[in-house]
Amino acid sequence: MKTTSPFVNGFVGMLALSFVFCLPAQDSPAENQEKQAPVATVNGVPITDADLKIGAKLFQLQQDAYQARLEALEEIISERLLSQEAEKNNTTVEDLLKQHVESKLSDPSSAEVEVFYQRQKARINRPLEEVRPQLEQFLKEMKRQEVRAAYLTGLRAASEVKISLEAPRIPVEVGESPQRGPSDAPITIVEFSDFQCPFCKRAQSTLAEVQEKYPDQVKFVYKDLPLREIHPQAQSAAEAAHCAGDQGKYWEYHGALFAAPQITEASLPE
């Protein structure tokens, strides 16, 4: 399942410690069979990928590889756009950048240099006049990158750019976890959360906003992730929520827990 709706990237970054996954399609039978195939045997006893228990490490490597590919791809797209624009205007890329980037640059003022220096003074740890030329050059280069990026954004908006490269995703088993929203929604959001976590609590308003704005597009699934070492009532709160769920009131109780100023053993029945 592809999560191409623009709101997904926007709100996931706001969810702090409330972990969210957007579900991909399930592995094909052939892929499942490959994962279950032995990678070694010891006296006839097979060892499979599942026995290696390095899924998290492999996923991080996949993320790193994806990020490297994406950065290289973005650079090539930029080069291609500049080349095509230069050809369309019967000029060179160098002259094109001179016209649309270099011509808009100016040397930073003394005030700009001094403001930047004061903000970074502790890190620079050298007198202003000693580093002024380097700071002027640095600020001008920053401005060059900003103007170039803005110009490329305009070229990209006027062009048809399609990126087929997909980020790696973690398949998540929904199982019997509490769910709300249309069963056939194109996007499923799985939240791993802790009722006593202040960051998870803060994320609820964002999730509620998504639910209100996209009622027919998103299904929500909640999975308990009680951090027992630092939130002593998180486990009990999760159990109480499932007891409420047995009475058909899971989401009402879920909302009440996150709305409560504090959670104690005594407050759970209330």
Side-chain angles (χ1 to χ4, degrees), residues 195-196 232-244 247 253-254 256-258 260 262-270:
F195 286 114
Q196 245 190 326
Q233 304 305 325
Q235 177 74 33
S236 297
E239 293 173 359
H242 284 281
C243 288
Q247 302 170 62
Y253 196 85
H254 166 282
L257 283 172
F258 277 122
Q262 63 177 347
I263 297 175
T264 65
E265 287 289 342
S267 70
L268 292 176
E270 299 175 9

Side-chain angles (χ1 to χ4, degrees), residues 10 17 42 47-48 55 65 70 76 85 88 91 126 141 144 190 192-193 245 247 253 256 261 266:
L17 295 184
V42 178
I47 299 173
T48 67
L70 183 62
I76 292 174
E85 185 67 14
K88 185 168 63 176
T91 186
R126 291 166 64 185
E141 182 59 30
R144 176 180 287 108
V190 182
F192 291 76
S193 195
Q247 302 170 62
Y253 196 85

Side-chain angles (χ1 to χ4, degrees), residues 17-19 21 191-197 200 222-229 231 234-235 238:
L17 295 184
S18 186
F19 301 106
F21 294 93
E191 176 188 11
F192 291 76
S193 195
D194 175 322
F195 286 114
Q196 245 190 326
C197 168
C200 300
Y222 187 91
K223 284 185 174 289
D224 296 301
L225 187 66
L227 306 178
R228 303 177 186 86
E229 295 81 5
H231 300 144
Q235 177 74 33

Side-chain angles (χ1 to χ4, degrees), residues 110-124:
S110 295
E112 289 175 321
V113 174
E114 290 168 11
V115 168
F116 181 82
Y117 175 79
Q118 291 300 326
R119 290 175 178 173
Q120 304 294 328
K121 187 175 182 179
R123 296 177 61 186
I124 297 173

